Amino acid sequence: MDPSCHGTAVSAPVLTRFIVHLGRRSAFVALAIVSATWCVVRYAVGRDGPYGGAGPAPHAAPKDPGPPARVSAPPPLRRLLLGGTVVGGVLSAFGSHWALALSSAWLPVYLRTELGFGAARASVAVSSVSVLSLLLLLTVPALIDRRKRRGRAGGAVDGVAQGAAVLVSGAALALLPFAGRRPLPLVLIAGAFACHSVALPVHSVTTAAVVPPARRGAVFGVVAATGTLPGMFVPFLTGHLVDGAASEAAGYSAAFLLSAVVPATCGAAATVMIRPARDTRALGGEG
């Protein structure tokens, strides 16, 4: 799951209890209170980090700037956006957000209608997927970084990490309609809706590695806009497939198989295309 969504690990079971015991309106009230409290806390204690644009301390003595450095113009935006690493990062994010949109809108319903979970058990299952996603986000990028610092990782490791994460998600989605009885469907659900999240932080790192600072704002805007597009239509498309099928089970099978193709294709392409070192050299070492 998207890193911003790991509140689900706590909120899903808690809000389910609110809904079951106090009614659905209580969940909205609880979310409103938590959101307002967080806004107040953030306003009171939030500060800019070391890259917030602050100038030198007033007491610092001015330094001799020396001769002006020769500044080369950054590469054209079009060239950056069409680079293999940036395109591969967009594809990995697109595939990851496809699985995220599917799970956010339809996983709780699927657990209840197709696997026979009650509200409480479904909320625990959704929370478990979020916890697994969080654990992967904390461990896999750190492991990649450690191997790179020790010189044990090749130049393709970033692309392999992103591509494999989304590929695993696609493979699990493809197998889910044929999983049969529990517990195998739960294992595949975990793989489909947790593993893809690894691609989200890694693709930002690889994109930043090849894009000069002067162009990062524009490039990241395009990457974010295109990579998150599935959230706009995947829930509707899934609902259309489920409603139009002969049965709900057939509709979910069609939706999962379609959703398997997209992350798998995006993951395979990202594995091949993402090469930060190569693209940095092609851009003249500006990244």
Side-chain angles (χ1 to χ4, degrees):
M1 288 184 177
D2 189 282
S4 63
C5 295
H6 288 115
T8 307
V10 176
S11 65
V14 172
L15 292 178
T16 299
R17 289 186 176 274
F18 273 73
I19 293 170
V20 170
H21 296 292
L22 300 174
R24 59 184 179 84
R25 290 183 178 84
S26 64
F28 291 100
V29 173
L31 289 173
I33 293 173
V34 171
S35 299
T37 303
W38 171 246
C39 288
V40 172
V41 172
R42 178 67 179 85
Y43 179 79
V45 304
R47 299 289 185 274
D48 285 335
Y51 304 105
H59 62 274
K63 296 182 179 180
D64 181 7
R70 182 176 179 270
V71 179
S72 58
L77 184 60
R78 181 175 179 273
R79 184 181 176 193
L80 292 170
L81 292 174
L82 295 179
T85 296
V86 174
V87 173
V90 169
L91 289 174
S92 69
F94 189 91
S96 180
H97 278 283
W98 187 293
L100 174 61
L102 179 63
S103 66
S104 298
W106 286 96
L107 179 57
V109 181
Y110 176 78
L111 290 170
R112 297 192 66 180
T113 60
E114 297 302 307
L115 298 187
F117 280 31
R121 293 185 66 192
S123 67
V124 171
V126 172
S127 295
S128 299
V129 172
S130 184
V131 170
L132 176 59
S133 173
L134 178 60
L135 292 175
L136 291 173
L137 284 170
L138 292 175
T139 55
V140 175
L143 178 61
I144 294 171
D145 188 56
R146 179 184 299 179
R147 291 181 63 85
K148 289 169 70 174
R149 289 200 309 268
R150 295 180 178 179
R152 297 179 181 177
V157 65
D158 295 299
V160 171
Q162 293 177 59
V166 185
L167 270 171
V168 168
S169 177
L173 282 169
L175 294 173
L176 188 54
F178 313 105
R181 307 183 69 177
R182 290 179 282 179
L184 183 56
L186 298 179
V187 175
L188 293 174
I189 285 171
F193 299 127
C195 293
H196 70 86
S197 62
V198 173
L200 296 176
V202 180
H203 99 277
S204 299
V205 174
T206 53
T207 299
V210 301
V211 178
R215 295 291 196 193
R216 284 176 187 165
V219 171
F220 272 106
V222 174
V223 168
T226 52
T228 57
L229 281 175
M232 297 178 60
F233 61 85
V234 169
F236 171 81
L237 176 61
T238 303
H240 179 73
L241 292 172
V242 172
D243 288 342
S247 65
E248 279 196 6
Y252 280 116
S253 295
F256 289 153
L257 290 175
L258 172 62
S259 295
V261 171
V262 176
T265 303
C266 290
T271 302
V272 174
M273 298 178 72
I274 296 174
R275 296 292 186 274
R278 175 204 62 195
D279 290 344
T280 301
R281 290 193 300 268
L283 293 169
E286 293 289 340

